Amino acid sequence: MLGLALLGGGLVLGRAIYAENVTLGQLTALLQLEERQDRLQRQLRLGVGEVTRMAEQGRAIPEPKWRSVGIALLKFHRGNAHLTPRLSVPVDLQGPVAARRAAEAEFATLSLRLLQGARNAPETIPRQMPAFLAALRTLETSRSAVRRLLIERIDTELTRSASGLASNLDRALIGAIAVLVVVLLCMAWLRRRVIRPIVAIADGVRRLSRGEDAAVDLPGAGRGDELGDLARGIAAYRSAVEERRRAEQHIDFLAHHDMLTGLPNRLLFEERLAQELLRAPRTGERVAVFAIDLDDFKSINDRFGHAGGDEALRAAAQLLSACVRASDMVARLGGDEFAIVQVSSDQPAHAELLVQRILRACEATAGDAVPVQMSIGVALSGVEQEGEELYNLADMAMYRAKAEGRHTARFFDDQFKEEVRLRWRLSRDLEGAAERGELYLAFQPIADADTLQVVGQEALLRWAHPELGEIKPDQFIPLAEASGRIDTIGLWMADQAMAAASRWPNHITLALNLSAIQFRQPALAHELLALARRHRLAPTRLEFEVTESATLLDKRRQPVLTVLRTLQHHGAAIVMDDFGTGYSSLGNLRDFRFDKLKVDRSFVATMLDHAPSGSIVRSIAALGASLGIPIVAEGVEEAAQLARLREWDIPQVQGFLIGRPSREAVHCADPAATLSARAIAPQWVARS
C-alpha cells in the first residue's frame, strides 16, 4: 500500500510536471519560431538593402546576389510552415500571432516589389522605400508584441509550475513520515534527482525575473525527462531575454552613433552640446564647438573610390579621437563633417591647444597614401546661447578657413562677427537694390591685340550702396548666389546690357558673365535669347562667359552643357573665363567646343617676372592656336605685357591699358594705350 501510495503520489507529481512542461514546451517552441523568423527577416532586410543600394548607385548587381536575396525571401515567406498542428497557439496569443503573420506577408510583398524595382526601375526605389521601412517597423512592433506575450506566459507558467510543485512536494513529505526509512531513501533520491534541480531552477527563475543575474546556471538541461524539458525551456526564455536586451542596446547604439567610424552622430552631439550649454553657466566654464571638414574629400573619392573615402573618414575619426581629452566629444555629423565639443574654464587657451594638436597630427599624415587634411572653425559659447547657433558660428569660421587656403583653423572672433553682420546687412539690402537704382552696369572694352581697335565690351555689375558706398562684386555676388537672388539680378543685368548694346555699332560684341547658380534654371537659354529678340540684338553679337566651376556641377553637368549648346546653336559665343585656374580645364575642352578662352589675369600680371606664369600663358596661346580657339588675355596693364602677348600671337586683350570700366561704353582704345602701342610697334613689326 505504501509503495502504491508513493507510486500514486509520484504519478500525480509527474503528471503535473509533465502537464506544465507540455505548456512550456509549446510556448518555448513558439518563441524559438519567432527567433528563427527574426533571423530570416534580418537576412532578407540586409539583402534587400544591399541590392537597392547597389541599384541606386548604378552598380551592376551580380546574378548570385539576386539568387541569394530571392532564397532569403523564399525562406522568410515559408517560415510559418514550421508552425505544425502540434504547436497550438493559446487563445490570447492568436490575435497578435495573426497580426505578426499579416505584417510578415506585407513585408515580404514590399520586399519583392522593392527587388523588382531594383532590377527593372531603380528610380522608383526612393518612392517605395518609405512603405518598405514602414512595413519593417510594423513587423518589428508586432514581433516584439508576440515575444513579450510569450515571455509573460512562460513566466506565468513557471510561477504556477513552481507553486504546484511545492504543493505536491508538501503532500509527498507528509505521506512519507509513516515510514521513515523509505521516506529517507526516497528523499535522498528525490533530493538528488528532483528537488535540487527544481530548487535551483526556481531560484534561477526568481533571479531572472528580478534581473539580478542573467548568466544563472540551470542544472538538468541535458536530461531527457520533464525536468530537462523545464530547464531547457527556461534556458530558451533566458536566451530570449538576453537577445532582447542586446537588441535594445544595439538599437540604442545605432540611434546615437555613426556606423562607419563608431563616433557619436548628430543626435548625440546635439544632446551633449545642449547639456553642456546648460551646465556651463553654473560651473563658470565655456563650451568650445569645433566644426571640422576634410579638405579635398571629393578628390579622394574620385581617386580612390568610395572605399578610399571611407578609409579616409575612419582615419580622420581616429586622428581626432587621439587628439582630444577623455571629457571631450568627437562626433561625425555626416559626409566629411566632424564636430568636437570641448568644455573648459580656460578658454580659448584649451581650444587653441587642441587646434594645434589636430593640425600637427594632420601634418604627420603627409606621407600616407591618403593624407588627412582638415579645415577647422571654432566658436566659444556666450550668455544664453543656443547649441544650433553656436555650431553655425563655428561652421562659418570653418568655411572662412577653407576660403583662406584650407588646412588651417579660424576662430569666430569679434572681427569675424563684424564681417558676418556686414554680410547679413548686405544680403538684406541687396533685396530690391536694382529697383532702387543702386545696381548699375560698367563696360570694359576688349580690343584687337594688333590694332587696339575695340571689338567688344564686357558688362560688369556694380553696386553703389547709399550708405556704404561702392560694394565690391566679390562681396555681393556670393550673397546673391547664396540667397537665390542671382537669377533675378542676372536677368536684370542681361536686360540692361542688351538694351545698351542695341545702340552700339554692329561690330561691337557684348560679353556677359553667367553665374554657376543660374544654371539651376533649365529655361535660362530661352530667357536670354528672348531678351535678345526684344532688344533686336543679334545672338551673334553675344558672348556668354562661364567659369570652369559652372561646367563642373557633378550631376547637373549635363543640363549645364545643354544650356550652353542651346545658346551656341542660336549663334551666341560661349567663352571659358579664368582659363587655367580649374583642375580639369582640358577635360572641359574635350567635352565642349568653346568659342573663346580668357587667360586668367593672375597669369598675365606675373608673366614677365615669373617664368612659370609666362610658360602657362604661352602654352595656352599655343593650345588655342592648335584647336582654332581665339584667346583673350585679361588684366593687361603694361605696354610690355601687350608686347609679349603680341609676340605669342594672342589675338585679343583686355585690361586697364586698353580701358577702364565705365558706365558708358567706349568704342575706341584708351589714348594712353594707343600711345603705348605705337611706342612698341616698331619693335613688334621688326619681329614680324
Side-chain angles (χ1 to χ4, degrees):
M1 293 298 293
L2 181 60
L4 290 176
L6 291 175
L7 180 59
L11 289 174
V12 171
L13 180 62
R15 191 170 298 162
I17 294 174
Y18 179 80
E20 296 295 337
N21 288 332
V22 167
T23 302
L24 285 173
Q26 294 284 348
L27 294 173
T28 302
L30 287 173
L31 187 60
Q32 291 173 345
L33 175 63
E34 292 297 326
E35 294 297 324
R36 180 182 181 277
Q37 282 297 95
D38 187 59
R39 289 194 300 272
L40 292 175
Q41 169 202 317
R42 288 198 297 270
Q43 293 175 3
L44 176 58
R45 173 170 55 83
L46 292 175
V48 172
E50 184 178 1
V51 168
T52 54
R53 183 166 55 254
M54 294 173 67
E56 286 185 308
Q57 294 173 355
R59 295 161 52 193
I61 302 174
E63 192 60 31
K65 174 60 65 178
W66 285 114
R67 286 198 300 273
S68 66
V69 177
I71 291 172
L73 178 60
L74 182 62
K75 287 182 178 179
F76 177 76
H77 191 64
R78 294 179 177 178
N80 284 336
H82 292 275
L83 186 59
T84 59
R86 67 183 180 84
L87 298 179
S88 59
V89 181
V91 175
D92 58 336
L93 293 178
Q94 290 178 357
V97 169
R100 188 262 299 154
R101 289 180 182 173
E104 284 185 341
E106 179 66 13
F107 178 73
T109 301
L110 292 177
S111 299
L112 178 60
R113 292 178 183 173
L114 199 56
L115 289 174
Q116 292 173 346
R119 178 182 287 272
N120 302 320
E123 65 276 6
T124 65
I125 292 176
R127 296 195 303 269
Q128 297 181 23
M129 188 58 69
F132 174 79
L133 296 177
L136 176 60
R137 286 192 294 270
T138 303
L139 177 55
E140 290 289 349
T141 301
S142 61
R143 192 180 301 285
S144 297
V146 172
R147 285 179 178 169
R148 178 176 54 78
L149 292 174
L150 283 172
I151 291 171
E152 290 176 354
R153 283 296 302 275
I154 291 174
D155 186 64
T156 302
E157 292 296 328
L158 286 173
T159 302
R160 189 162 60 85
S161 176
S163 177
L165 285 172
S167 177
N168 289 331
L169 286 174
D170 290 339
R171 289 193 295 269
L173 289 173
I174 293 173
I177 293 176
V179 283
L180 185 58
V181 177
V182 176
V183 169
L184 290 175
L185 292 175
C186 290
M187 283 300 298
W189 183 85
L190 289 173
R191 181 177 179 81
R192 183 173 62 86
R193 294 290 297 172
V194 179
I195 298 175
R196 188 175 295 168
I198 289 176
V199 171
I201 290 172
D203 182 64
V205 170
R206 285 191 295 270
R207 293 165 64 186
L208 284 172
S209 64
R210 294 193 298 265
E212 293 179 358
D213 186 4
V216 62
D217 183 27
L218 297 175
R223 291 168 55 168
D225 56 10
E226 291 81 358
L227 283 176
D229 292 339
L230 178 61
R232 287 189 291 273
I234 297 174
Y237 164 74
R238 181 188 64 191
S239 299
V241 171
E242 279 301 297
E243 181 67 25
R244 178 181 177 183
R245 191 173 301 164
R246 285 193 296 269
E248 290 173 349
Q249 293 173 350
H250 185 61
I251 290 172
D252 183 71
F253 181 85
L254 292 178
H256 293 88
H257 290 79
D258 170 56
M259 292 305 298
L260 177 63
T261 62
L263 294 177
N265 61 11
R266 182 182 293 272
L267 177 61
L268 191 55
F269 166 78
E270 292 175 349
E271 292 177 357
R272 172 68 179 276
L273 180 57
Q275 293 172 1
E276 297 296 351
L277 288 174
L278 287 174
R279 188 179 63 86
R282 298 193 301 268
T283 61
E285 296 175 313
R286 295 184 71 186
V287 180
V289 172
F290 293 64
I292 302 171
D293 207 35
L294 296 187
D295 293 334
D296 299 322
F297 183 67
K298 183 179 182 301
S299 64
I300 293 176
N301 273 330
D302 293 341
R303 291 167 56 200
F304 301 102
H306 289 292
D310 291 346
E311 186 61 33
L313 291 173
R314 282 190 287 265
Q318 294 172 1
L319 183 149
L320 292 173
S321 299
C323 291
V324 300
R325 304 170 303 177
S327 59
D328 301 335
M329 170 187 273
V330 181
R332 181 189 176 206
L333 306 186
D336 60 338
E337 300 177 26
F338 294 84
I340 298 176
V341 177
Q342 182 194 60
V343 183
S344 174
S345 58
D346 187 13
Q347 294 287 23
H350 281 173
E352 292 172 350
L353 290 174
L354 179 55
V355 166
Q356 294 172 8
R357 289 197 299 271
I358 294 174
L359 293 179
R360 283 198 300 268
C362 290
E363 291 171 0
T365 67
D368 295 348
V370 183
V372 177
Q373 302 294 320
M374 300 178 179
S375 295
I376 306 171
V378 186
L380 300 176
S381 63
V383 179
E384 297 182 355
Q385 193 161 32
E386 297 290 336
E388 183 179 0
E389 177 189 2
L390 185 59
Y391 176 75
N392 288 338
L393 298 180
D395 196 50
M396 285 189 285
M398 183 270 293
Y399 278 105
R400 170 60 62 86
K402 277 188 175 294
E404 294 180 357
R406 302 189 177 188
H407 187 45
T408 185
R410 289 292 178 268
F411 280 73
F412 191 88
D413 52 17
D414 292 337
Q415 179 182 356
F416 203 162
K417 290 180 183 178
E418 290 301 322
E419 294 177 5
V420 171
R421 289 194 186 98
L422 177 60
R423 286 203 301 271
W424 286 344
R425 179 181 179 183
L426 292 178
S427 180
R428 179 197 63 196
D429 294 347
L430 189 58
E431 178 71 27
E435 291 78 0
R436 294 191 300 270
E438 298 172 13
L439 296 182
Y440 67 93
L441 297 184
F443 299 94
Q444 186 174 25
I446 303 171
D448 182 274
D450 292 339
T451 64
L452 294 187
Q453 294 298 313
V454 174
V455 295
Q457 299 280 351
E458 180 180 2
L460 305 172
L461 185 62
R462 296 292 186 262
W463 184 11
H465 194 281
E467 297 178 7
L468 302 177
E470 289 288 334
I471 308 299
K472 296 180 179 179
D474 58 4
Q475 282 185 284
F476 71 85
I477 293 297
L479 296 177
E481 292 178 335
S483 63
R485 300 188 185 104
I486 191 64
D487 297 323
T488 303
I489 293 176
L491 289 177
W492 176 87
M493 176 183 176
D495 183 51
Q496 298 294 312
M498 291 183 190
S502 65
R503 299 187 294 270
W504 299 345
N506 289 335
H507 69 281
I508 302 295
T509 61
L510 170 64
L512 286 169
N513 286 283
L514 296 179
S515 167
I517 306 300
Q518 290 180 263
F519 288 102
R520 295 178 303 183
Q521 303 296 330
L524 175 63
H526 300 290
E527 290 174 343
L528 294 172
L529 292 170
L531 287 175
R533 287 193 298 270
R534 192 176 76 180
H535 293 290
R536 302 179 183 275
L537 192 66
T540 54
R541 293 181 57 194
L542 296 176
E543 295 181 354
F544 294 101
E545 299 184 2
V546 294
T547 60
E548 291 190 60
S549 63
T551 58
L552 298 173
L553 295 178
D554 298 329
K555 295 181 180 179
R556 294 195 58 84
R557 180 180 178 85
Q558 193 57 44
V560 169
L561 296 179
T562 300
V563 170
L564 297 180
R565 290 189 178 108
T566 301
L567 293 171
Q568 200 175 51
H569 174 74
H570 286 81
I574 305 301
V575 182
M576 182 184 287
D577 198 9
D578 301 333
F579 183 75
T581 58
Y583 71 87
S584 61
S585 303
L586 297 180
N588 283 316
L589 292 181
R590 177 196 61 198
D591 296 340
F592 185 80
R593 174 69 183 186
F594 286 89
D595 300 292
K596 191 181 293 186
L597 305 177
K598 296 189 76 172
V599 182
D600 187 69
R601 67 181 65 251
S602 62
F603 298 124
V604 176
T606 59
M607 68 180 189
L608 298 179
D609 304 319
H610 187 247
S613 295
S615 299
I616 290 173
V617 176
R618 188 170 186 177
S619 299
I620 293 174
L623 176 66
S626 64
L627 296 176
I629 301 176
I631 306 297
V632 182
E634 293 182 303
V636 180
E637 299 182 1
E638 301 174 5
Q641 293 172 343
L642 177 61
R644 186 63 55 86
L645 294 171
R646 284 171 167 172
E647 183 180 337
W648 290 337
D649 295 327
I650 289 183
Q652 294 183 358
V653 291
Q654 182 182 13
F656 289 172
L657 183 68
I658 309 304
R660 294 177 177 270
S662 62
R663 293 201 180 202
E664 295 296 330
V666 178
H667 302 314
C668 61
D670 189 292
T674 305
L675 291 175
S676 300
R678 289 174 179 172
I680 62 173
Q683 176 182 357
W684 176 71
V685 171
R687 180 191 59 79
S688 300

